[in-house]
Amino acid sequence: MTELLQPQILGPLILAMLFGLFVGATPGLTATMAVALIVPISFELDNPTASLAMIIGVSFAAIFAGDIPAIYLRIPGTPASAATTLDGHAMARQGRAGHALSLALFSSCLGGLVGVLILMFLAPQLAKFALRFSNFEYFWLGILGLSLSAAVSGGSTIKGLLAAALGMLLSTVGIDLVSGTPRFTFGQSDLMSGVGFIPVMIGLFGLSEVLRNVARGESMSAPSVRPDDHIRPLHSLLTLLRHKLTLVRASIVGTFTGALPGAGADIAAWAAYGIEKKSARNPERLGKGDERGVVAPAGAHNAAVAGAWIPALVFGIPGDTVTAIVIGAVLVYNLKPGPLIFEQSAAQVEAIFGIALITQLLLLPCGYLAFKTFGGILRLPRNLIMTAVVVFSVVGAFALRNSLFDVGIMVAAGWVGYFLESRRIPVAPLILGLILGPMVEENLRTGLIKSQGAFLPFVTRPICLVLWLLLVLSLVGPRIARLLRKAPGPSPDTLIPRA
Amino acid sequence: MIPDPDSPPPPDRPSLALGTALVAFGAMAAFLAARIPYRPLGDTSDPGPRAFPLLLGLFLAAGGLRELIELREAQRAAAARGEPNPFLPNPRSLFPPRATLSVGLAAILYVPAIAWLGFIPSTILLVLGLMKGLGATWRWAVGTAITLVAVIHLLFATLFRVQLPTGLLGFPW
């Protein structure tokens, strides 16, 4: 742990957190984009632990920072903060913006802390169980991760599955690792090693986000956020003590929701808010500036960031788009996610846990610093922010391999992302497809070779059977739930709106 | 602003552009995948390198076909109700708004520009173009261009020693 407290680790970590706070607090820019933009910068550091620290720090900080404009302007900085807008903004209208911000910050720190502790305890236990998995189980695990992400990413499940298929198809470009045959390379040497994951991701979450923002036609000269400085940390801490049960409940819900592949911090925040409303003695107060309406989603969304690391580390299945990017990034450092990671790369895993813990503690001072100092920066007009994102996207895509071809890939991915989202096809399953495609194909083919071409072991092995049934449930479950909800005439309180 | 949670979600209307794009892209991918040489590893238990992309291409084409069938059914239902066709292809809806198109085209043009002119002049031109296109004053545009180029140069070229493109013209940047 003391190694992690060295300036060469803490320096990049704090800088990355401040960057994450800025991006997360800017409406229209997501936490995923913050991570996507920090990855090329982190690769330039000589120390892999410092690089990991930057990626971890930026993800937690950006998710929290989305609450800042959510509270001030009822515009969530990131989708994860949509639930915070309800009571957070109501508190701001009552002149309690500083208190709401402070509550959100403390809840995010403590929620993240609970999430990291659960991750530290649960992940190694789960890894011992995962050692029983073979190619057959990993094939279904990959498919299950993709289908879950398609089912919960918003909109139609079929469209989510189409996005996942598109991602998997992109992952087949390049030399086939099993047979050495080139696929879809069109004689281009740049395509032999496949479509670069990082340029695609920067395009999908950086450039396409800018294109969508511009397409909305909102004023680009207006500043993003109106700041407010009335913050009393002690008062907020005492309030949080009163709502400790809410925080604990939200953190646990957030961690386990985040651990579901595809269900990110946004769903975790809405789930925690919904549970809080259902379990409250006076649910009518929520939505009208109740402190619990800030504590629950803020605690849950940062706990979900930690929870998403559980399937990512144990199975190599990203819990959300942020961990999808993280998996792509850690592969560069020869850190191969899977059950053996806890034995083969124990030191790096401990470093990840340690950095995640330190990040929660640093979030408090960094968050307060952000409240105080970002006021001026957040007054910057949106056109400046959007232009900076375009330039950073281009330079970020180029810097990885000094390749203009990668810049072209990034620009193409930006346009594809814009087209897909404007037709209500979610892009998150696409990025998961790109990551999980090789895993699914390799395990399918190796499994078939092992079983001498028989498909039966894919469905008859006990763990396969469970995973297969979970897959069916993930695809049919939402439809059944919708039918059940329609039948008796639902109460609006029981509906959990999507971010 | 976030949508009102009580309001119904916007309708998920079938799209001609999406259906056509998926059918075309999926069919092309399946066609190209079918032409990948069949080289299984060891015995014939391995489906080979073409099976997986072929399957995915067909799945995408089927998804596009489903979108087009849904569109046709919606058109028929509208016609049966005597309503005007709500799904007539609108050429304007096929193209993004002008501002979006400008930003996207600027990003596309930036790729050959950076290769030809090098990083500093092409980035200054891009930032000036984007800022003006997004309604900024000349003062803001010039200030942003200088600041951004300086920050990126300092961060990537000086600090991380990334060789930013110097361009074919061989200018000293």
Side-chain angles (χ1 to χ4, degrees):
Chain A
M1 195 71 162
T2 46
E3 289 165 17
L4 299 176
L5 296 172
Q6 302 302 314
Q8 60 266 37
I9 307 286
L10 286 183
L13 172 61
I14 292 171
L15 286 175
M17 286 179 74
L18 291 174
F19 174 74
L21 286 166
F22 174 63
V23 174
T26 308
L29 309 189
T30 60
T32 315
M33 184 202 273
V35 179
L37 293 179
I38 208 78
V39 164
I41 297 173
S42 73
F43 281 168
E44 303 298 335
L45 298 180
D46 296 330
N47 186 338
T49 312
S51 306
L52 275 174
M54 286 185 91
I55 297 170
I56 293 169
V58 85
S59 59
F60 280 101
I63 288 286
F64 153 70
D67 287 351
I68 300 173
I71 288 168
Y72 279 133
L73 296 176
R74 203 175 175 261
I75 303 173
T78 69
S81 294
T84 316
T85 54
L86 302 178
D87 286 273
H89 185 64
M91 284 176 75
R93 279 207 311 265
Q94 295 158 7
R96 298 190 292 154
H99 181 45
L101 276 175
S102 210
L103 266 183
L105 178 58
F106 277 117
S107 306
S108 295
C109 289
L110 293 171
L113 208 59
V114 172
V116 174
L117 291 175
I118 294 177
L119 162 74
M120 288 169 71
F121 172 75
L122 204 64
Q125 309 303 323
L126 209 58
K128 283 179 195 157
F129 174 69
L131 283 172
R132 296 182 202 170
F133 285 26
S134 68
N135 300 98
F136 306 104
E137 285 81 13
Y138 272 109
F139 166 74
W140 282 119
L141 211 55
I143 296 285
L144 180 66
L146 288 169
S147 70
L148 273 175
S149 113
V152 301
S153 54
S156 126
T157 304
I158 300 266
K159 287 188 171 175
L161 288 174
L162 286 170
L166 186 60
M168 284 200 284
L169 189 62
L170 281 179
S171 78
T172 63
V173 174
I175 301 281
D176 169 37
L177 289 178
V178 181
S179 65
T181 313
R183 298 189 289 192
F184 307 115
T185 53
F186 308 104
Q188 287 274 330
S189 58
D190 287 304
L191 284 175
M192 290 292 181
S193 55
V195 175
F197 163 71
I198 305 284
V200 171
M201 174 201 77
I202 295 177
L204 284 179
F205 294 102
L207 184 63
S208 77
E209 201 73 52
V210 173
L211 295 176
R212 270 196 298 282
N213 268 282
V214 175
R216 273 184 218 129
E218 292 165 3
S219 166
M220 283 283 154
S221 308
S224 301
V225 174
R226 273 197 314 268
D228 173 26
D229 297 329
H230 303 289
I231 292 162
R232 288 177 294 157
L234 196 65
H235 171 57
S236 305
L237 201 57
L238 290 173
T239 309
L240 200 60
L241 274 176
R242 265 205 328 271
H243 300 305
K244 51 187 177 295
L245 276 180
T246 298
L247 181 65
V248 170
R249 201 163 34 223
S251 306
I252 294 171
V253 168
T255 309
F256 287 100
T257 311
L260 291 175
D266 49 344
I267 294 171
W270 279 118
Y273 188 87
I275 288 171
E276 197 53 39
K277 195 162 185 175
K278 286 202 98 176
S279 60
R281 276 186 216 155
N282 37 16
E284 71 285 349
R285 284 194 195 170
L286 275 111
K288 294 173 185 164
D290 194 295
E291 289 150 342
R292 291 167 298 175
V294 174
V295 172
H301 60 47
N302 269 44
V305 179
W309 278 82
I310 297 174
L313 282 178
V314 178
F315 302 113
I317 309 275
D320 59 4
T321 42
V322 170
T323 39
I325 298 167
V326 173
I327 286 184
V330 296
L331 288 173
V332 176
Y333 303 116
N334 290 326
L335 199 63
K336 201 176 173 200
L340 290 174
I341 197 173
F342 296 92
E343 289 169 20
Q344 291 170 347
S345 312
Q348 284 102 318
V349 172
E350 275 175 26
I352 289 173
F353 291 160
I355 292 162
L357 281 177
I358 294 169
T359 302
Q360 309 313 314
L361 304 177
L362 284 176
L363 194 55
L364 272 180
C366 286
Y368 276 109
L369 192 69
F371 295 160
K372 297 283 179 194
T373 58
F374 278 8
I377 298 172
L378 295 174
R379 284 192 194 99
L380 290 172
R382 289 163 69 90
N383 47 23
L384 194 154
I385 305 279
M386 296 299 151
T387 303
V389 171
V390 173
V391 176
F392 268 97
S393 296
V394 171
V395 179
F398 174 82
L400 284 170
R401 296 192 298 184
N402 284 14
S403 159
L404 279 173
F405 186 81
D406 282 351
V407 179
I409 294 276
M410 186 280 293
V411 174
W415 271 111
V416 169
Y418 172 77
F419 173 78
L420 292 179
E421 290 234 310
S422 67
R423 263 74 188 175
R424 299 193 175 281
I425 292 207
V427 292
L430 193 158
I431 212 83
L432 256 68
L434 194 58
I435 296 262
L436 294 178
M439 172 190 168
V440 170
E441 184 184 11
E442 193 189 315
N443 284 300
L444 172 69
R445 288 172 69 179
T446 315
L448 281 172
I449 292 169
K450 275 185 185 170
S451 67
Q452 296 184 329
F455 279 95
L456 216 56
F458 281 94
V459 282
T460 51
R461 290 167 65 96
I463 300 174
C464 282
L465 196 66
V466 173
L467 292 170
W468 195 83
L469 288 172
L470 281 174
L471 171 72
V472 174
L473 205 67
S474 75
L475 294 175
V476 187
R479 197 167 284 235
I480 295 173
R482 257 199 309 274
L483 286 174
L484 289 175
R485 220 183 285 154
K486 267 182 192 167
S491 143
D493 290 352
T494 59
L495 297 172
I496 298 173
R498 291 294 319 279
Chain B
M1 292 282 179
I2 61 159
D4 180 355
D6 296 328
S7 66
D12 202 3
R13 287 164 43 132
S15 152
L16 178 67
L18 178 66
T20 313
L22 282 174
V23 168
F25 185 77
M28 191 182 70
F31 172 74
L32 291 174
R35 293 176 50 161
I36 295 171
Y38 176 63
R39 285 183 197 150
L41 189 74
D43 59 16
T44 49
S45 308
D46 177 19
R50 67 181 175 197
F52 195 61
L54 180 69
L55 207 68
L56 291 168
L58 291 175
F59 180 73
L60 284 174
L65 212 58
R66 177 184 175 272
E67 185 83 1
L68 293 176
I69 291 169
E70 271 187 6
L71 178 72
R72 184 87 191 109
E73 281 174 3
Q75 283 173 333
R76 279 189 184 152
R81 289 194 302 269
E83 293 170 4
N85 185 353
F87 299 102
L88 271 179
N90 176 4
R92 285 186 69 186
S93 74
L94 289 176
F95 296 99
R98 210 170 67 183
T100 312
L101 209 58
S102 316
V103 174
L105 281 177
I108 291 173
L109 289 176
Y110 185 53
V111 182
I114 203 171
W116 197 56
L117 290 172
F119 170 73
I120 293 177
S122 53
T123 307
I124 287 176
L125 286 175
L126 174 81
V127 175
L128 286 176
L130 284 178
M131 288 293 284
K132 283 306 292 171
L134 296 175
T137 59
W138 274 110
R139 205 172 130 199
W140 269 103
V142 172
T144 307
I146 293 169
T147 314
L148 261 181
V149 168
V151 166
I152 287 174
H153 205 273
L154 189 76
L155 193 66
F156 284 91
T158 312
L159 204 61
F160 299 136
R161 296 191 180 86
V162 172
Q163 179 70 53
L164 292 170
T166 51
L168 293 176
L169 299 178
F171 290 128
W173 40 65

